[in-house]
Amino acid sequence: MLIDGGARSVVGTNQTSTAFFRNLQYDRIGWHSIYVNVELGQLRTDTQGRLIVLGGNGISGEPSGVSIRPDFYRNPGRRKPEPR
């Protein structure tokens, strides 16, 4: 999955961009597409003009009315290597 926020900029000292969003298209086989608006973050600068990048609001979950497949959250993850 890729959610591309596109190019963003902020210029000067003590500046704040508006938060930026993108629509995530969620497709499931046999279902229709669902679009979810996702907050990607915000740009700011400090008193010396240094860039500060703030991430999105950190909300995760499934689109309304669509459950996440059980194999997604029951994924056992990577196995630890066997000792030699």
Side-chain angles (χ1 to χ4, degrees):
M1 169 178 25
L2 172 69
I3 306 171
D4 185 354
R8 302 289 174 175
S9 65
V10 62
V11 178
T13 59
N14 293 320
Q15 298 298 308
T16 301
S17 73
T18 58
F20 44 101
F21 297 82
R22 278 292 187 255
N23 277 327
L24 164 65
Q25 181 177 352
Y26 184 80
D27 290 317
R28 297 256 327 245
I29 296 171
W31 289 58
H32 59 282
S33 294
I34 298 172
Y35 294 88
V36 179
N37 201 23
V38 178
E39 181 181 346
L40 299 177
Q42 187 179 55
L43 302 177
R44 295 182 181 178
T45 59
D46 66 9
T47 57
Q48 296 180 0
R50 294 177 292 208
L51 180 63
I52 302 167
V53 179
L54 303 176
N57 55 17
I59 296 173
S60 63
E62 74 266 0
S64 179
V66 178
S67 63
I68 295 176
R69 298 183 339 225
D71 60 339
F72 175 79
Y73 56 86
R74 292 187 186 144
N75 185 341
R78 276 182 80 184
R79 291 184 178 183
K80 294 180 181 177
E82 296 293 323
R84 293 183 181 202

